Amino acid sequence: MPRHMADLRVRVTATGLATYPDITVICGAWARDPEDKKTIINPTVIIEVLSPTTEEYDRGEKFEHYKQLDSLREYVIVAHSRREVEVMSRGENGLWERTIHGSGSVAPLRSISGSIDVDGAYDDAAEPRCRGAGTQPRLARRSHVNDRARSASAASSSGIDILPKRWSAARSLVLCMQRSS
């Protein structure tokens, strides 16, 4: 069964960068940083939801660090200002390929046999409207693995873990991965 945790740190041992991705997917056993047992060093997929203040860093310097992770197969960037999901995939030859998926499309995550429904991710992340005076909106806590990843987890002795950070849009992305499979 996949485990869900908040605030899981990822370290790039080659460069020393330690960061908290919005979503981290680990296939197999966790490889932990010897210096910090709450830090992993073997993510398969990292998903970052951009903000105006982090976009340049997430697309540039941070991705250059992440490329040093031998286990990383896909780096996904979710736009903040438009319905767009970019998937950077490491090919068999070690080179990175970039694909962009807009509204009405599904972004495949081949390394985990999953996908993200672009419109579904943005629709689920929308803040609900308040009804009536004094009513506070509630965001449902949703973190689900897609059916194919769940099947892969059952078939694998070490499984697949999806670990979202505390953030409703990140949890919605995982839900959309389930819906689009």
Side-chain angles (χ1 to χ4, degrees):
M1 184 81 173
R3 291 178 279 174
H4 307 277
M5 291 180 59
D7 297 328
L8 181 73
R9 185 165 39 181
V10 172
R11 183 179 311 279
V12 181
T13 54
T15 67
L17 176 76
T19 185
Y20 293 89
D22 292 314
I23 298 176
T24 301
V25 181
I26 302 164
C27 295
W30 293 18
R32 297 183 186 272
D33 184 343
E35 296 177 22
D36 182 355
K37 297 301 179 195
K38 291 184 179 181
T39 301
I40 60 102
I41 57 174
N42 66 327
T44 304
V45 177
I46 292 177
I47 300 175
E48 295 283 9
V49 180
L50 300 177
S51 72
T53 59
T54 66
E55 182 169 4
E56 186 177 324
Y57 176 65
D58 287 346
R59 290 181 182 280
E61 185 179 342
K62 187 187 280 186
F63 182 43
E64 290 302 314
H65 284 276
Y66 285 161
K67 286 179 182 179
Q68 303 300 311
L69 293 163
D70 291 335
S71 63
L72 188 65
R73 295 292 164 250
E74 289 169 309
Y75 178 54
V76 180
I77 296 177
V78 180
H80 62 89
S81 59
R82 63 196 170 283
R83 290 178 179 237
E84 184 176 280
V85 174
E86 288 180 55
V87 179
M88 274 64 82
S89 303
R90 187 189 316 247
E92 293 294 321
N93 59 3
L95 298 177
W96 289 87
E97 177 184 321
R98 177 178 168 239
T99 57
I100 300 173
H101 309 275
S103 183
S105 66
V106 174
L109 300 178
R110 290 183 178 86
S111 65
I112 59 169
S113 300
S115 59
I116 298 171
D117 172 19
V118 175
D119 287 330
Y122 286 87
D123 292 344
D124 285 346
E127 188 171 329
R129 299 174 199 260
C130 295
R131 296 176 190 235
T135 304
Q136 295 297 315
R138 287 187 175 172
L139 292 175
R141 184 180 172 113
R142 301 179 244 188
S143 298
H144 301 286
V145 170
N146 67 56
D147 292 333
R148 287 187 205 152
R150 191 175 291 123
S151 297
S153 178
S156 166
S157 61
S158 46
I160 295 175
D161 292 312
I162 294 187
L163 308 165
K165 188 178 173 185
R166 298 176 314 233
W167 198 57
S168 61
R171 288 190 292 272
S172 295
L173 280 170
V174 178
L175 175 65
C176 291
M177 288 169 61
Q178 176 187 20
R179 286 184 185 160
S180 65
S181 297

